Amino acid sequence: MQRLPDTEFEIMDLIWNSAPPVTTGTVMETLGRERQWKLQTVVTLFGRLCERGFLRVQKGIGRSHHYFPLISRQDYLAMETEAFLHRYHKRSVVSLLVSLGEADLSDTDIEELRSFVRDAARKEDAHG
């Protein structure tokens, strides 16, 4: 699986938030209008997503096509996160957390991190 350019990620994000199948019209109604895209731009982007294995296309009635996601949001984000962790933090979760420490974390963010660490420790204890 390869990284999606920002524009294609926006389309996949819309698709992941929609009930399949999705059509080019669905994207034109939201992103297309907002970005002032022409229909051919959306058709080209859908074609790229199909070529890369993110979408499956099924011929509809007439000239319409229905698109279905082949990759879940969770699987894609896991791949992106793994690549980010490897590239920028040499696979070190501690390095990632230290960099987050530089961010303006809310009390809620910190509590969510604590909860995540507690849950991970419990899972490790249960398996090892």
Side-chain angles (χ1 to χ4, degrees), residues 1-13 16 45 48-50 52-55 71 76 79-80:
M1 185 181 337
Q2 53 187 275
R3 185 177 191 282
L4 289 170
D6 291 345
T7 302
E8 291 173 30
F9 179 79
E10 283 184 84
I11 289 175
M12 285 305 299
D13 194 44
W16 287 321
L45 292 168
R48 287 183 193 159
L49 288 165
C50 288
R52 292 183 178 161
F54 285 89
L55 293 177
I71 295 166
Y76 180 75
M79 183 276 306
E80 279 278 25

mmCIF file with all atom_site columns, all heavy atoms in Angstrom, residues 1-13 16 45 48-50 52-55 71 76 79-80:
data_model
loop_
_atom_site.group_PDB
_atom_site.id
_atom_site.type_symbol
_atom_site.label_atom_id
_atom_site.label_alt_id
_atom_site.label_comp_id
_atom_site.label_asym_id
_atom_site.label_entity_id
_atom_site.label_seq_id
_atom_site.pdbx_PDB_ins_code
_atom_site.Cartn_x
_atom_site.Cartn_y
_atom_site.Cartn_z
_atom_site.occupancy
_atom_site.B_iso_or_equiv
_atom_site.pdbx_formal_charge
_atom_site.auth_seq_id
_atom_site.auth_comp_id
_atom_site.auth_asym_id
_atom_site.auth_atom_id
_atom_site.pdbx_PDB_model_num
ATOM 1   N N   . MET A 1 1  ? 0.855   -1.177 0.000   1.00 0.00 ? 1  MET A N   1
ATOM 2   C CA  . MET A 1 1  ? 0.000   0.000  0.000   1.00 0.00 ? 1  MET A CA  1
ATOM 3   C C   . MET A 1 1  ? 0.898   1.236  0.000   1.00 0.00 ? 1  MET A C   1
ATOM 4   O O   . MET A 1 1  ? 1.883   1.295  0.710   1.00 0.00 ? 1  MET A O   1
ATOM 5   C CB  . MET A 1 1  ? -0.885  -0.018 1.251   1.00 0.00 ? 1  MET A CB  1
ATOM 6   C CG  . MET A 1 1  ? -1.884  1.078  1.298   1.00 0.00 ? 1  MET A CG  1
ATOM 7   S SD  . MET A 1 1  ? -2.951  1.142  2.785   1.00 0.00 ? 1  MET A SD  1
ATOM 8   C CE  . MET A 1 1  ? -2.947  -0.464 3.453   1.00 0.00 ? 1  MET A CE  1
ATOM 9   N N   . GLN A 1 2  ? 0.543   2.199  -0.803  1.00 0.00 ? 2  GLN A N   1
ATOM 10  C CA  . GLN A 1 2  ? 1.341   3.414  -0.875  1.00 0.00 ? 2  GLN A CA  1
ATOM 11  C C   . GLN A 1 2  ? 0.590   4.599  -0.277  1.00 0.00 ? 2  GLN A C   1
ATOM 12  O O   . GLN A 1 2  ? -0.628  4.586  -0.174  1.00 0.00 ? 2  GLN A O   1
ATOM 13  C CB  . GLN A 1 2  ? 1.752   3.696  -2.310  1.00 0.00 ? 2  GLN A CB  1
ATOM 14  C CG  . GLN A 1 2  ? 0.580   3.715  -3.279  1.00 0.00 ? 2  GLN A CG  1
ATOM 15  C CD  . GLN A 1 2  ? 1.021   3.823  -4.710  1.00 0.00 ? 2  GLN A CD  1
ATOM 16  O OE1 . GLN A 1 2  ? 1.237   4.924  -5.181  1.00 0.00 ? 2  GLN A OE1 1
ATOM 17  N NE2 . GLN A 1 2  ? 1.142   2.703  -5.402  1.00 0.00 ? 2  GLN A NE2 1
ATOM 18  N N   . ARG A 1 3  ? 1.353   5.606  0.095   1.00 0.00 ? 3  ARG A N   1
ATOM 19  C CA  . ARG A 1 3  ? 0.797   6.811  0.702   1.00 0.00 ? 3  ARG A CA  1
ATOM 20  C C   . ARG A 1 3  ? -0.063  7.561  -0.313  1.00 0.00 ? 3  ARG A C   1
ATOM 21  O O   . ARG A 1 3  ? 0.292   7.672  -1.478  1.00 0.00 ? 3  ARG A O   1
ATOM 22  C CB  . ARG A 1 3  ? 1.935   7.702  1.174   1.00 0.00 ? 3  ARG A CB  1
ATOM 23  C CG  . ARG A 1 3  ? 1.441   8.909  1.905   1.00 0.00 ? 3  ARG A CG  1
ATOM 24  C CD  . ARG A 1 3  ? 2.599   9.751  2.431   1.00 0.00 ? 3  ARG A CD  1
ATOM 25  N NE  . ARG A 1 3  ? 2.105   10.748 3.326   1.00 0.00 ? 3  ARG A NE  1
ATOM 26  C CZ  . ARG A 1 3  ? 1.517   11.871 2.952   1.00 0.00 ? 3  ARG A CZ  1
ATOM 27  N NH1 . ARG A 1 3  ? 1.354   12.141 1.671   1.00 0.00 ? 3  ARG A NH1 1
ATOM 28  N NH2 . ARG A 1 3  ? 1.084   12.738 3.847   1.00 0.00 ? 3  ARG A NH2 1
ATOM 29  N N   . LEU A 1 4  ? -1.183  8.064  0.160   1.00 0.00 ? 4  LEU A N   1
ATOM 30  C CA  . LEU A 1 4  ? -2.081  8.844  -0.691  1.00 0.00 ? 4  LEU A CA  1
ATOM 31  C C   . LEU A 1 4  ? -1.690  10.317 -0.685  1.00 0.00 ? 4  LEU A C   1
ATOM 32  O O   . LEU A 1 4  ? -1.449  10.879 0.383   1.00 0.00 ? 4  LEU A O   1
ATOM 33  C CB  . LEU A 1 4  ? -3.519  8.733  -0.184  1.00 0.00 ? 4  LEU A CB  1
ATOM 34  C CG  . LEU A 1 4  ? -4.217  7.406  -0.371  1.00 0.00 ? 4  LEU A CG  1
ATOM 35  C CD1 . LEU A 1 4  ? -5.536  7.397  0.395   1.00 0.00 ? 4  LEU A CD1 1
ATOM 36  C CD2 . LEU A 1 4  ? -4.452  7.131  -1.841  1.00 0.00 ? 4  LEU A CD2 1
ATOM 37  N N   . PRO A 1 5  ? -1.674  10.948 -1.861  1.00 0.00 ? 5  PRO A N   1
ATOM 38  C CA  . PRO A 1 5  ? -1.543  12.404 -1.881  1.00 0.00 ? 5  PRO A CA  1
ATOM 39  C C   . PRO A 1 5  ? -2.742  13.025 -1.157  1.00 0.00 ? 5  PRO A C   1
ATOM 40  O O   . PRO A 1 5  ? -3.803  12.394 -1.047  1.00 0.00 ? 5  PRO A O   1
ATOM 41  C CB  . PRO A 1 5  ? -1.564  12.748 -3.372  1.00 0.00 ? 5  PRO A CB  1
ATOM 42  C CG  . PRO A 1 5  ? -1.235  11.472 -4.079  1.00 0.00 ? 5  PRO A CG  1
ATOM 43  C CD  . PRO A 1 5  ? -1.736  10.365 -3.192  1.00 0.00 ? 5  PRO A CD  1
ATOM 44  N N   . ASP A 1 6  ? -2.586  14.243 -0.686  1.00 0.00 ? 6  ASP A N   1
ATOM 45  C CA  . ASP A 1 6  ? -3.627  14.898 0.117   1.00 0.00 ? 6  ASP A CA  1
ATOM 46  C C   . ASP A 1 6  ? -4.999  14.896 -0.555  1.00 0.00 ? 6  ASP A C   1
ATOM 47  O O   . ASP A 1 6  ? -6.008  14.613 0.092   1.00 0.00 ? 6  ASP A O   1
ATOM 48  C CB  . ASP A 1 6  ? -3.221  16.335 0.452   1.00 0.00 ? 6  ASP A CB  1
ATOM 49  C CG  . ASP A 1 6  ? -2.056  16.397 1.423   1.00 0.00 ? 6  ASP A CG  1
ATOM 50  O OD1 . ASP A 1 6  ? -1.737  15.368 2.063   1.00 0.00 ? 6  ASP A OD1 1
ATOM 51  O OD2 . ASP A 1 6  ? -1.455  17.481 1.545   1.00 0.00 ? 6  ASP A OD2 1
ATOM 52  N N   . THR A 1 7  ? -5.050  15.211 -1.846  1.00 0.00 ? 7  THR A N   1
ATOM 53  C CA  . THR A 1 7  ? -6.339  15.281 -2.545  1.00 0.00 ? 7  THR A CA  1
ATOM 54  C C   . THR A 1 7  ? -7.017  13.919 -2.583  1.00 0.00 ? 7  THR A C   1
ATOM 55  O O   . THR A 1 7  ? -8.224  13.807 -2.337  1.00 0.00 ? 7  THR A O   1
ATOM 56  C CB  . THR A 1 7  ? -6.138  15.815 -3.976  1.00 0.00 ? 7  THR A CB  1
ATOM 57  O OG1 . THR A 1 7  ? -5.523  17.100 -3.894  1.00 0.00 ? 7  THR A OG1 1
ATOM 58  C CG2 . THR A 1 7  ? -7.453  15.934 -4.713  1.00 0.00 ? 7  THR A CG2 1
ATOM 59  N N   . GLU A 1 8  ? -6.251  12.876 -2.865  1.00 0.00 ? 8  GLU A N   1
ATOM 60  C CA  . GLU A 1 8  ? -6.833  11.537 -2.905  1.00 0.00 ? 8  GLU A CA  1
ATOM 61  C C   . GLU A 1 8  ? -7.239  11.081 -1.507  1.00 0.00 ? 8  GLU A C   1
ATOM 62  O O   . GLU A 1 8  ? -8.237  10.378 -1.348  1.00 0.00 ? 8  GLU A O   1
ATOM 63  C CB  . GLU A 1 8  ? -5.859  10.560 -3.555  1.00 0.00 ? 8  GLU A CB  1
ATOM 64  C CG  . GLU A 1 8  ? -5.694  10.838 -5.040  1.00 0.00 ? 8  GLU A CG  1
ATOM 65  C CD  . GLU A 1 8  ? -4.618  9.998  -5.698  1.00 0.00 ? 8  GLU A CD  1
ATOM 66  O OE1 . GLU A 1 8  ? -4.381  8.858  -5.251  1.00 0.00 ? 8  GLU A OE1 1
ATOM 67  O OE2 . GLU A 1 8  ? -4.020  10.479 -6.673  1.00 0.00 ? 8  GLU A OE2 1
ATOM 68  N N   . PHE A 1 9  ? -6.472  11.485 -0.499  1.00 0.00 ? 9  PHE A N   1
ATOM 69  C CA  . PHE A 1 9  ? -6.863  11.151 0.872   1.00 0.00 ? 9  PHE A CA  1
ATOM 70  C C   . PHE A 1 9  ? -8.199  11.821 1.217   1.00 0.00 ? 9  PHE A C   1
ATOM 71  O O   . PHE A 1 9  ? -9.051  11.203 1.865   1.00 0.00 ? 9  PHE A O   1
ATOM 72  C CB  . PHE A 1 9  ? -5.795  11.566 1.887   1.00 0.00 ? 9  PHE A CB  1
ATOM 73  C CG  . PHE A 1 9  ? -6.204  11.254 3.297   1.00 0.00 ? 9  PHE A CG  1
ATOM 74  C CD1 . PHE A 1 9  ? -6.093  9.962  3.796   1.00 0.00 ? 9  PHE A CD1 1
ATOM 75  C CD2 . PHE A 1 9  ? -6.744  12.237 4.113   1.00 0.00 ? 9  PHE A CD2 1
ATOM 76  C CE1 . PHE A 1 9  ? -6.504  9.654  5.095   1.00 0.00 ? 9  PHE A CE1 1
ATOM 77  C CE2 . PHE A 1 9  ? -7.154  11.947 5.410   1.00 0.00 ? 9  PHE A CE2 1
ATOM 78  C CZ  . PHE A 1 9  ? -7.032  10.654 5.894   1.00 0.00 ? 9  PHE A CZ  1
ATOM 79  N N   . GLU A 1 10 ? -8.393  13.056 0.781   1.00 0.00 ? 10 GLU A N   1
ATOM 80  C CA  . GLU A 1 10 ? -9.671  13.738 1.035   1.00 0.00 ? 10 GLU A CA  1
ATOM 81  C C   . GLU A 1 10 ? -10.839 12.957 0.440   1.00 0.00 ? 10 GLU A C   1
ATOM 82  O O   . GLU A 1 10 ? -11.893 12.830 1.064   1.00 0.00 ? 10 GLU A O   1
ATOM 83  C CB  . GLU A 1 10 ? -9.660  15.150 0.441   1.00 0.00 ? 10 GLU A CB  1
ATOM 84  C CG  . GLU A 1 10 ? -8.893  16.159 1.240   1.00 0.00 ? 10 GLU A CG  1
ATOM 85  C CD  . GLU A 1 10 ? -9.019  17.530 0.616   1.00 0.00 ? 10 GLU A CD  1
ATOM 86  O OE1 . GLU A 1 10 ? -10.030 18.201 0.897   1.00 0.00 ? 10 GLU A OE1 1
ATOM 87  O OE2 . GLU A 1 10 ? -8.118  17.912 -0.144  1.00 0.00 ? 10 GLU A OE2 1
ATOM 88  N N   . ILE A 1 11 ? -10.636 12.446 -0.769  1.00 0.00 ? 11 ILE A N   1
ATOM 89  C CA  . ILE A 1 11 ? -11.693 11.664 -1.407  1.00 0.00 ? 11 ILE A CA  1
ATOM 90  C C   . ILE A 1 11 ? -11.930 10.367 -0.632  1.00 0.00 ? 11 ILE A C   1
ATOM 91  O O   . ILE A 1 11 ? -13.071 10.001 -0.358  1.00 0.00 ? 11 ILE A O   1
ATOM 92  C CB  . ILE A 1 11 ? -11.349 11.379 -2.883  1.00 0.00 ? 11 ILE A CB  1
ATOM 93  C CG1 . ILE A 1 11 ? -11.455 12.686 -3.680  1.00 0.00 ? 11 ILE A CG1 1
ATOM 94  C CG2 . ILE A 1 11 ? -12.278 10.313 -3.472  1.00 0.00 ? 11 ILE A CG2 1
ATOM 95  C CD1 . ILE A 1 11 ? -11.025 12.584 -5.115  1.00 0.00 ? 11 ILE A CD1 1
ATOM 96  N N   . MET A 1 12 ? -10.847 9.675  -0.256  1.00 0.00 ? 12 MET A N   1
ATOM 97  C CA  . MET A 1 12 ? -11.011 8.440  0.515   1.00 0.00 ? 12 MET A CA  1
ATOM 98  C C   . MET A 1 12 ? -11.673 8.732  1.855   1.00 0.00 ? 12 MET A C   1
ATOM 99  O O   . MET A 1 12 ? -12.515 7.949  2.304   1.00 0.00 ? 12 MET A O   1
ATOM 100 C CB  . MET A 1 12 ? -9.661  7.745  0.711   1.00 0.00 ? 12 MET A CB  1
ATOM 101 C CG  . MET A 1 12 ? -9.132  7.048  -0.524  1.00 0.00 ? 12 MET A CG  1
ATOM 102 S SD  . MET A 1 12 ? -10.255 5.829  -1.268  1.00 0.00 ? 12 MET A SD  1
ATOM 103 C CE  . MET A 1 12 ? -10.446 4.638  0.075   1.00 0.00 ? 12 MET A CE  1
ATOM 104 N N   . ASP A 1 13 ? -11.325 9.842  2.478   1.00 0.00 ? 13 ASP A N   1
ATOM 105 C CA  . ASP A 1 13 ? -11.941 10.198 3.751   1.00 0.00 ? 13 ASP A CA  1
ATOM 106 C C   . ASP A 1 13 ? -13.450 10.350 3.581   1.00 0.00 ? 13 ASP A C   1
ATOM 107 O O   . ASP A 1 13 ? -14.237 9.858  4.392   1.00 0.00 ? 13 ASP A O   1
ATOM 108 C CB  . ASP A 1 13 ? -11.301 11.482 4.286   1.00 0.00 ? 13 ASP A CB  1
ATOM 109 C CG  . ASP A 1 13 ? -11.647 11.732 5.738   1.00 0.00 ? 13 ASP A CG  1
ATOM 110 O OD1 . ASP A 1 13 ? -11.602 10.775 6.541   1.00 0.00 ? 13 ASP A OD1 1
ATOM 111 O OD2 . ASP A 1 13 ? -11.941 12.896 6.085   1.00 0.00 ? 13 ASP A OD2 1
ATOM 112 N N   . TRP A 1 16 ? -14.851 6.822  3.087   1.00 0.00 ? 16 TRP A N   1
ATOM 113 C CA  . TRP A 1 16 ? -14.892 6.075  4.345   1.00 0.00 ? 16 TRP A CA  1
ATOM 114 C C   . TRP A 1 16 ? -16.039 6.556  5.247   1.00 0.00 ? 16 TRP A C   1
ATOM 115 O O   . TRP A 1 16 ? -16.549 5.800  6.057   1.00 0.00 ? 16 TRP A O   1
ATOM 116 C CB  . TRP A 1 16 ? -13.572 6.185  5.090   1.00 0.00 ? 16 TRP A CB  1
ATOM 117 C CG  . TRP A 1 16 ? -12.457 5.387  4.481   1.00 0.00 ? 16 TRP A CG  1
ATOM 118 C CD1 . TRP A 1 16 ? -12.549 4.143  3.933   1.00 0.00 ? 16 TRP A CD1 1
ATOM 119 C CD2 . TRP A 1 16 ? -11.093 5.768  4.363   1.00 0.00 ? 16 TRP A CD2 1
ATOM 120 N NE1 . TRP A 1 16 ? -11.315 3.727  3.484   1.00 0.00 ? 16 TRP A NE1 1
ATOM 121 C CE2 . TRP A 1 16 ? -10.402 4.706  3.740   1.00 0.00 ? 16 TRP A CE2 1
ATOM 122 C CE3 . TRP A 1 16 ? -10.374 6.910  4.733   1.00 0.00 ? 16 TRP A CE3 1
ATOM 123 C CZ2 . TRP A 1 16 ? -9.032  4.749  3.483   1.00 0.00 ? 16 TRP A CZ2 1
ATOM 124 C CZ3 . TRP A 1 16 ? -9.015  6.951  4.467   1.00 0.00 ? 16 TRP A CZ3 1
ATOM 125 C CH2 . TRP A 1 16 ? -8.353  5.883  3.851   1.00 0.00 ? 16 TRP A CH2 1
ATOM 126 N N   . LEU A 1 45 ? -9.247  11.296 -10.506 1.00 0.00 ? 45 LEU A N   1
ATOM 127 C CA  . LEU A 1 45 ? -8.829  10.922 -9.151  1.00 0.00 ? 45 LEU A CA  1
ATOM 128 C C   . LEU A 1 45 ? -9.373  9.555  -8.758  1.00 0.00 ? 45 LEU A C   1
ATOM 129 O O   . LEU A 1 45 ? -8.660  8.739  -8.153  1.00 0.00 ? 45 LEU A O   1
ATOM 130 C CB  . LEU A 1 45 ? -9.259  11.994 -8.150  1.00 0.00 ? 45 LEU A CB  1
ATOM 131 C CG  . LEU A 1 45 ? -8.529  13.334 -8.282  1.00 0.00 ? 45 LEU A CG  1
ATOM 132 C CD1 . LEU A 1 45 ? -9.219  14.423 -7.462  1.00 0.00 ? 45 LEU A CD1 1
ATOM 133 C CD2 . LEU A 1 45 ? -7.077  13.204 -7.884  1.00 0.00 ? 45 LEU A CD2 1
ATOM 134 N N   . ARG A 1 48 ? -7.259  6.923  -10.458 1.00 0.00 ? 48 ARG A N   1
ATOM 135 C CA  . ARG A 1 48 ? -5.988  6.712  -9.758  1.00 0.00 ? 48 ARG A CA  1
ATOM 136 C C   . ARG A 1 48 ? -6.181  5.848  -8.517  1.00 0.00 ? 48 ARG A C   1
ATOM 137 O O   . ARG A 1 48 ? -5.372  4.968  -8.228  1.00 0.00 ? 48 ARG A O   1
ATOM 138 C CB  . ARG A 1 48 ? -5.379  8.049  -9.341  1.00 0.00 ? 48 ARG A CB  1
ATOM 139 C CG  . ARG A 1 48 ? -4.810  8.838  -10.474 1.00 0.00 ? 48 ARG A CG  1
ATOM 140 C CD  . ARG A 1 48 ? -4.167  10.105 -9.943  1.00 0.00 ? 48 ARG A CD  1
ATOM 141 N NE  . ARG A 1 48 ? -3.874  11.022 -11.011 1.00 0.00 ? 48 ARG A NE  1
ATOM 142 C CZ  . ARG A 1 48 ? -3.694  12.311 -10.868 1.00 0.00 ? 48 ARG A CZ  1
ATOM 143 N NH1 . ARG A 1 48 ? -3.772  12.859 -9.658  1.00 0.00 ? 48 ARG A NH1 1
ATOM 144 N NH2 . ARG A 1 48 ? -3.426  13.076 -11.893 1.00 0.00 ? 48 ARG A NH2 1
ATOM 145 N N   . LEU A 1 49 ? -7.251  6.112  -7.769  1.00 0.00 ? 49 LEU A N   1
ATOM 146 C CA  . LEU A 1 49 ? -7.521  5.333  -6.556  1.00 0.00 ? 49 LEU A CA  1
ATOM 147 C C   . LEU A 1 49 ? -7.814  3.873  -6.899  1.00 0.00 ? 49 LEU A C   1
ATOM 148 O O   . LEU A 1 49 ? -7.428  2.972  -6.147  1.00 0.00 ? 49 LEU A O   1
ATOM 149 C CB  . LEU A 1 49 ? -8.668  5.964  -5.765  1.00 0.00 ? 49 LEU A CB  1
ATOM 150 C CG  . LEU A 1 49 ? -8.308  7.280  -5.077  1.00 0.00 ? 49 LEU A CG  1
ATOM 151 C CD1 . LEU A 1 49 ? -9.563  8.023  -4.633  1.00 0.00 ? 49 LEU A CD1 1
ATOM 152 C CD2 . LEU A 1 49 ? -7.377  7.026  -3.899  1.00 0.00 ? 49 LEU A CD2 1
ATOM 153 N N   . CYS A 1 50 ? -8.455  3.632  -8.034  1.00 0.00 ? 50 CYS A N   1
ATOM 154 C CA  . CYS A 1 50 ? -8.696  2.255  -8.482  1.00 0.00 ? 50 CYS A CA  1
ATOM 155 C C   . CYS A 1 50 ? -7.376  1.592  -8.881  1.00 0.00 ? 50 CYS A C   1
ATOM 156 O O   . CYS A 1 50 ? -7.106  0.452  -8.505  1.00 0.00 ? 50 CYS A O   1
ATOM 157 C CB  . CYS A 1 50 ? -9.670  2.237  -9.654  1.00 0.00 ? 50 CYS A CB  1
ATOM 158 S SG  . CYS A 1 50 ? -11.370 2.619  -9.205  1.00 0.00 ? 50 CYS A SG  1
ATOM 159 N N   . ARG A 1 52 ? -4.413  2.209  -7.850  1.00 0.00 ? 52 ARG A N   1
ATOM 160 C CA  . ARG A 1 52 ? -3.579  1.980  -6.668  1.00 0.00 ? 52 ARG A CA  1
ATOM 161 C C   . ARG A 1 52 ? -4.167  0.936  -5.718  1.00 0.00 ? 52 ARG A C   1
ATOM 162 O O   . ARG A 1 52 ? -3.564  0.619  -4.708  1.00 0.00 ? 52 ARG A O   1
ATOM 163 C CB  . ARG A 1 52 ? -3.386  3.290  -5.914  1.00 0.00 ? 52 ARG A CB  1
ATOM 164 C CG  . ARG A 1 52 ? -2.550  4.265  -6.676  1.00 0.00 ? 52 ARG A CG  1
ATOM 165 C CD  . ARG A 1 52 ? -2.312  5.503  -5.873  1.00 0.00 ? 52 ARG A CD  1
ATOM 166 N NE  . ARG A 1 52 ? -1.469  6.398  -6.637  1.00 0.00 ? 52 ARG A NE  1
ATOM 167 C CZ  . ARG A 1 52 ? -1.351  7.670  -6.414  1.00 0.00 ? 52 ARG A CZ  1
ATOM 168 N NH1 . ARG A 1 52 ? -2.015  8.224  -5.421  1.00 0.00 ? 52 ARG A NH1 1
ATOM 169 N NH2 . ARG A 1 52 ? -0.558  8.412  -7.144  1.00 0.00 ? 52 ARG A NH2 1
ATOM 170 N N   . GLY A 1 53 ? -5.356  0.454  -6.011  1.00 0.00 ? 53 GLY A N   1
ATOM 171 C CA  . GLY A 1 53 ? -5.949  -0.593 -5.200  1.00 0.00 ? 53 GLY A CA  1
ATOM 172 C C   . GLY A 1 53 ? -6.727  -0.109 -3.990  1.00 0.00 ? 53 GLY A C   1
ATOM 173 O O   . GLY A 1 53 ? -7.017  -0.890 -3.083  1.00 0.00 ? 53 GLY A O   1
ATOM 174 N N   . PHE A 1 54 ? -7.106  1.151  -3.971  1.00 0.00 ? 54 PHE A N   1
ATOM 175 C CA  . PHE A 1 54 ? -7.890  1.686  -2.860  1.00 0.00 ? 54 PHE A CA  1
ATOM 176 C C   . PHE A 1 54 ? -9.392  1.553  -3.100  1.00 0.00 ? 54 PHE A C   1
ATOM 177 O O   . PHE A 1 54 ? -10.170 1.498  -2.157  1.00 0.00 ? 54 PHE A O   1
ATOM 178 C CB  . PHE A 1 54 ? -7.543  3.162  -2.612  1.00 0.00 ? 54 PHE A CB  1
ATOM 179 C CG  . PHE A 1 54 ? -6.227  3.354  -1.939  1.00 0.00 ? 54 PHE A CG  1
ATOM 180 C CD1 . PHE A 1 54 ? -5.059  3.481  -2.680  1.00 0.00 ? 54 PHE A CD1 1
ATOM 181 C CD2 . PHE A 1 54 ? -6.135  3.385  -0.555  1.00 0.00 ? 54 PHE A CD2 1
ATOM 182 C CE1 . PHE A 1 54 ? -3.839  3.637  -2.053  1.00 0.00 ? 54 PHE A CE1 1
ATOM 183 C CE2 . PHE A 1 54 ? -4.916  3.543  0.079   1.00 0.00 ? 54 PHE A CE2 1
ATOM 184 C CZ  . PHE A 1 54 ? -3.758  3.662  -0.673  1.00 0.00 ? 54 PHE A CZ  1
ATOM 185 N N   . LEU A 1 55 ? -9.786  1.542  -4.370  1.00 0.00 ? 55 LEU A N   1
ATOM 186 C CA  . LEU A 1 55 ? -11.203 1.451  -4.721  1.00 0.00 ? 55 LEU A CA  1
ATOM 187 C C   . LEU A 1 55 ? -11.432 0.345  -5.742  1.00 0.00 ? 55 LEU A C   1
ATOM 188 O O   . LEU A 1 55 ? -10.549 0.029  -6.540  1.00 0.00 ? 55 LEU A O   1
ATOM 189 C CB  . LEU A 1 55 ? -11.698 2.762  -5.347  1.00 0.00 ? 55 LEU A CB  1
ATOM 190 C CG  . LEU A 1 55 ? -11.768 4.003  -4.487  1.00 0.00 ? 55 LEU A CG  1
ATOM 191 C CD1 . LEU A 1 55 ? -12.222 5.192  -5.326  1.00 0.00 ? 55 LEU A CD1 1
ATOM 192 C CD2 . LEU A 1 55 ? -12.700 3.796  -3.307  1.00 0.00 ? 55 LEU A CD2 1
ATOM 193 N N   . ILE A 1 71 ? -9.843  -0.770 1.035   1.00 0.00 ? 71 ILE A N   1
ATOM 194 C CA  . ILE A 1 71 ? -8.990  -0.630 2.216   1.00 0.00 ? 71 ILE A CA  1
ATOM 195 C C   . ILE A 1 71 ? -9.755  0.190  3.247   1.00 0.00 ? 71 ILE A C   1
ATOM 196 O O   . ILE A 1 71 ? -10.345 1.220  2.919   1.00 0.00 ? 71 ILE A O   1
ATOM 197 C CB  . ILE A 1 71 ? -7.665  0.066  1.839   1.00 0.00 ? 71 ILE A CB  1
ATOM 198 C CG1 . ILE A 1 71 ? -6.883  -0.831 0.880   1.00 0.00 ? 71 ILE A CG1 1
ATOM 199 C CG2 . ILE A 1 71 ? -6.848  0.419  3.066   1.00 0.00 ? 71 ILE A CG2 1
ATOM 200 C CD1 . ILE A 1 71 ? -5.753  -0.156 0.188   1.00 0.00 ? 71 ILE A CD1 1
ATOM 201 N N   . TYR A 1 76 ? -5.463  1.857  6.553   1.00 0.00 ? 76 TYR A N   1
ATOM 202 C CA  . TYR A 1 76 ? -4.650  2.904  5.932   1.00 0.00 ? 76 TYR A CA  1
ATOM 203 C C   . TYR A 1 76 ? -3.922  3.726  6.995   1.00 0.00 ? 76 TYR A C   1
ATOM 204 O O   . TYR A 1 76 ? -2.720  3.975  6.882   1.00 0.00 ? 76 TYR A O   1
ATOM 205 C CB  . TYR A 1 76 ? -5.499  3.817  5.039   1.00 0.00 ? 76 TYR A CB  1
ATOM 206 C CG  . TYR A 1 76 ? -4.636  4.877  4.407   1.00 0.00 ? 76 TYR A CG  1
ATOM 207 C CD1 . TYR A 1 76 ? -3.789  4.556  3.357   1.00 0.00 ? 76 TYR A CD1 1
ATOM 208 C CD2 . TYR A 1 76 ? -4.626  6.180  4.895   1.00 0.00 ? 76 TYR A CD2 1
ATOM 209 C CE1 . TYR A 1 76 ? -2.959  5.519  2.795   1.00 0.00 ? 76 TYR A CE1 1
ATOM 210 C CE2 . TYR A 1 76 ? -3.796  7.142  4.343   1.00 0.00 ? 76 TYR A CE2 1
ATOM 211 C CZ  . TYR A 1 76 ? -2.975  6.808  3.290   1.00 0.00 ? 76 TYR A CZ  1
ATOM 212 O OH  . TYR A 1 76 ? -2.132  7.764  2.740   1.00 0.00 ? 76 TYR A OH  1
ATOM 213 N N   . MET A 1 79 ? -0.981  1.912  8.436   1.00 0.00 ? 79 MET A N   1
ATOM 214 C CA  . MET A 1 79 ? 0.162   1.936  7.527   1.00 0.00 ? 79 MET A CA  1
ATOM 215 C C   . MET A 1 79 ? 0.863   3.285  7.577   1.00 0.00 ? 79 MET A C   1
ATOM 216 O O   . MET A 1 79 ? 2.088   3.364  7.674   1.00 0.00 ? 79 MET A O   1
ATOM 217 C CB  . MET A 1 79 ? -0.311  1.627  6.103   1.00 0.00 ? 79 MET A CB  1
ATOM 218 C CG  . MET A 1 79 ? 0.805   1.559  5.059   1.00 0.00 ? 79 MET A CG  1
ATOM 219 S SD  . MET A 1 79 ? 1.373   3.119  4.294   1.00 0.00 ? 79 MET A SD  1
ATOM 220 C CE  . MET A 1 79 ? -0.112  3.837  3.667   1.00 0.00 ? 79 MET A CE  1
ATOM 221 N N   . GLU A 1 80 ? 0.105   4.369  7.519   1.00 0.00 ? 80 GLU A N   1
ATOM 222 C CA  . GLU A 1 80 ? 0.681   5.721  7.554   1.00 0.00 ? 80 GLU A CA  1
ATOM 223 C C   . GLU A 1 80 ? 1.414   5.967  8.872   1.00 0.00 ? 80 GLU A C   1
ATOM 224 O O   . GLU A 1 80 ? 2.491   6.533  8.894   1.00 0.00 ? 80 GLU A O   1
ATOM 225 C CB  . GLU A 1 80 ? -0.425  6.775  7.394   1.00 0.00 ? 80 GLU A CB  1
ATOM 226 C CG  . GLU A 1 80 ? -0.840  7.012  5.982   1.00 0.00 ? 80 GLU A CG  1
ATOM 227 C CD  . GLU A 1 80 ? 0.073   7.957  5.221   1.00 0.00 ? 80 GLU A CD  1
ATOM 228 O OE1 . GLU A 1 80 ? 1.258   8.100  5.556   1.00 0.00 ? 80 GLU A OE1 1
ATOM 229 O OE2 . GLU A 1 80 ? -0.430  8.561  4.269   1.00 0.00 ? 80 GLU A OE2 1
#
